[in-house]
Each structure stands twice: as C-alpha cells, then as structure tokens.
Amino acid sequence: MGSYEKASLLCRRALSYLKVAKDAFHEGLYDVAATNCQISAELLIKSTYLFLGFVYPETHNIRKLLSELTNLTKLEEISRLVKEKRKELNLVELSRFEGQYSPIDVDSDLASDCLDTVENVILPLMKKMWGEKWCGD
C-alpha cells in the first residue's frame, strides 16, 4: 500500500470516528463523543502528513502535530491557527484523556466544544491541504 492509499485510509477512518463522535453526542454519551472526537482530529492531521509525503511524529498531542506540520510545510496558516486557537486545540487534546480515564463525567459542553473545533477548525484546514484529492475522492 502506497503513502497516498495509507493517507486516504487514515482520512476515511478519521471521518468515521467523527461520525461516531457526533452520533454518541446526540445519544448523550459525552465521554464517548469526546474520546472519538480527539481520535478523529489526530487521524485527520496524521493522514495529511502522509498525503503530503511526510512521516508524522509519534504523539497524540494535537498542537505538536500541527506545529511540526507547520515546520515541514512552512504554511503560515497552520501556525496562525495554532496560536489563535490554542485554547480550543488544548481542549481537543484533553478530550481523549477526559473521555477515557477521568473520574469525572464529561459534560455536553466539553464534547460539544471538541466537536466544534474539529468540524470548524481542523477539518476545513486539512481538507484545504488535500484539495481535490480529499480522502481519496
């Protein structure tokens, strides 16, 4: 399997995790929504690394993944996003831990904010970087 095929597979998988996150949110399963939301974000970014011909860092840290992508691509748009959306990206990073391991229930606000950041910040930027070849289309 070539890098484009691997990238497309990860991208489609990311979209599946996002769908599961949205479905779980609507069912009131906020911990499941938050966890799947973070996984979706991570896979969207990692699939973009592969699509662009890069090896992604072995981390779950969303801001680190985006910062390193900035270093590789020299795209100011990614750097600006990391600076302007620091709080929101941090929340996405924490969502997986909160949803999996936290002894405190994840509320609808956390899950909703995570979904909003992935759908309206991360997804559009990654889609733009893929262009017409989005997720293997």
Side-chain angles (χ1 to χ4, degrees):
M1 180 182 283
S3 62
Y4 178 70
E5 289 81 14
K6 288 178 188 174
S8 297
L9 175 64
L10 276 189
C11 186
R12 289 190 307 274
R13 200 173 279 167
L15 296 177
S16 294
Y17 276 106
L18 183 57
K19 181 189 180 318
V20 168
K22 291 193 289 190
D23 291 347
F25 180 83
H26 293 300
E27 292 177 28
L29 303 171
Y30 304 125
D31 53 347
V32 175
T35 301
N36 283 284
C37 181
Q38 187 282 339
I39 294 169
S40 175
E42 184 179 332
L43 291 178
L44 282 169
I45 298 165
K46 288 180 175 180
S47 71
T48 303
Y49 270 85
L50 295 176
F51 174 73
L52 296 173
F54 300 118
V55 175
Y56 53 80
E58 293 296 325
T59 183
H60 300 295
N61 185 305
I62 300 299
R63 287 177 297 152
K64 182 174 183 166
L65 286 167
L66 288 170
S67 293
E68 185 59 29
L69 192 57
T70 300
N71 293 339
L72 293 169
T73 63
K74 308 297 184 215
L75 291 174
E76 182 58 35
E77 186 174 1
I78 305 170
S79 177
R80 189 172 54 251
L81 177 132
V82 172
K83 289 175 188 166
E84 291 175 1
K85 301 292 184 179
R86 183 182 254 337
K87 180 180 172 190
E88 293 89 342
L89 294 171
N90 189 47
L91 181 121
V92 172
E93 286 175 22
L94 293 173
S95 292
R96 186 173 189 169
F97 173 80
E98 295 291 326
Q100 281 184 294
Y101 304 111
S102 178
I104 300 166
D105 277 339
V106 172
D107 63 15
S108 64
D109 289 342
L110 175 72
S112 176
D113 289 347
C114 184
L115 284 167
D116 183 60
T117 300
V118 173
E119 287 187 297
N120 298 310
V121 177
I122 297 171
L123 180 65
L125 179 59
M126 296 304 112
K127 198 170 187 178
K128 181 179 179 182
M129 293 177 77
W130 279 68
E132 293 179 11
K133 293 187 176 189
W134 175 240
C135 278
D137 288 345

